[in-house]
Amino acid sequence: MPNPLSQHDLDALVYEMISHRDALQRWLENRFPDAGDIEDLVQESMLRMIQYAKSHDIRNVRAFLFSTARNLALNKIRHTKIENRADADLDLLLQYVPFEQPDPFQQVRKAEEVSILKEAISTLPKRCRMIFTMRKFEGLSHQEIANRMGLSKFTVQNQGLIGMQKCRQHFLRCEQAQLALS
């Protein structure tokens, strides 16, 4: 294991990273326009590089910085797609629960659908159920849930998606059973 990073080495590393900052920002903007806040990606890349440099030698600062930024951008895009897919799944699920004032027949159907939704949610594992309800009924973001539960944002996103998929499957099973009885 290399020696700890001296203040002089840290200053030199930071200086070199800053010399690549504008090029990195332009490269990210051109290569990953859907990655969100590019400035945040640049800063996060630099912070991760400093953390890594505390216990490892970095031979090519520019290459390491750009690789780190690329990985962060790809993760950000991937997680945004997961969030969007989960939100689309919620829209699909909510079409089973009408919001306008229905006639008596529709009121009975709505009560049945709400009961099925409650049943579906109750079948989820505890952590998944907590994440699902915080996201869908309390309106918390993935990051807020992650902070509240002490989990990673990625875990929260995955558990929310699993919850949505299991609820949708439960709805479809119940709907098929209803059709079979008809």
Side-chain angles (χ1 to χ4, degrees):
M1 185 163 151
N3 294 332
L5 202 60
S6 70
Q7 187 62 43
H8 175 72
D9 292 338
L10 179 60
D11 291 343
L13 176 65
V14 170
Y15 180 79
E16 187 170 354
M17 284 190 308
I18 290 172
S19 74
H20 299 297
R21 181 186 190 98
D22 291 339
L24 178 63
Q25 188 160 350
R26 282 191 306 276
W27 182 76
L28 285 169
E29 287 168 352
N30 291 328
R31 185 89 185 253
F32 303 102
D34 298 333
D37 190 348
I38 299 298
E39 182 63 30
D40 281 351
L41 288 173
V42 171
Q43 290 177 6
E44 181 67 23
S45 300
M46 290 181 170
L47 286 173
R48 288 190 182 200
M49 188 167 182
I50 290 169
Q51 285 301 115
Y52 186 83
K54 288 180 180 178
S55 60
H56 299 83
D57 288 329
I58 298 175
R59 296 179 195 266
N60 186 332
V61 171
R62 181 182 170 91
F64 190 95
L65 185 61
F66 276 66
S67 293
T68 302
R70 181 197 66 228
N71 292 339
L72 288 171
L74 291 172
N75 283 341
K76 176 72 171 163
I77 291 168
R78 188 176 310 117
H79 291 221
T80 299
K81 286 180 182 178
I82 290 170
E83 281 183 9
N84 291 342
R85 188 171 58 207
D87 289 341
D89 285 347
L90 176 62
D91 292 341
L92 180 66
L93 182 60
L94 289 179
Q95 73 180 332
Y96 289 102
V97 184
F99 291 103
E100 63 276 350
Q101 196 56 265
D103 63 40
F105 177 75
Q106 289 175 328
Q107 287 179 343
V108 170
R109 175 123 173 105
K110 179 181 177 182
E112 289 173 352
E113 289 171 347
V114 169
S115 175
I116 292 170
L117 179 59
K118 286 180 180 178
E119 183 181 307
I121 292 170
S122 72
T123 65
L124 297 174
K126 182 179 180 181
R127 181 172 73 172
C128 186
R129 182 176 58 245
M130 289 172 60
I131 290 169
F132 183 83
T133 56
M134 282 191 269
R135 175 79 175 142
K136 303 306 177 190
F137 299 108
E138 294 178 34
L140 298 177
S141 71
H142 289 127
Q143 189 62 55
E144 290 170 324
I145 297 168
N147 293 343
R148 186 181 283 187
M149 295 184 71
L151 301 170
S152 73
K153 184 178 173 184
F154 184 74
T155 298
V156 170
Q157 289 170 333
N158 282 338
Q159 289 291 304
L161 187 59
I162 289 168
M164 182 60 64
Q165 289 169 340
K166 287 186 180 211
C167 285
R168 185 178 342 131
Q169 290 168 353
H170 186 83
F171 261 94
L172 293 174
R173 279 193 305 274
C174 289
E175 193 173 73
Q176 288 169 351
Q178 282 284 6
L179 289 175
L181 293 174
S182 300

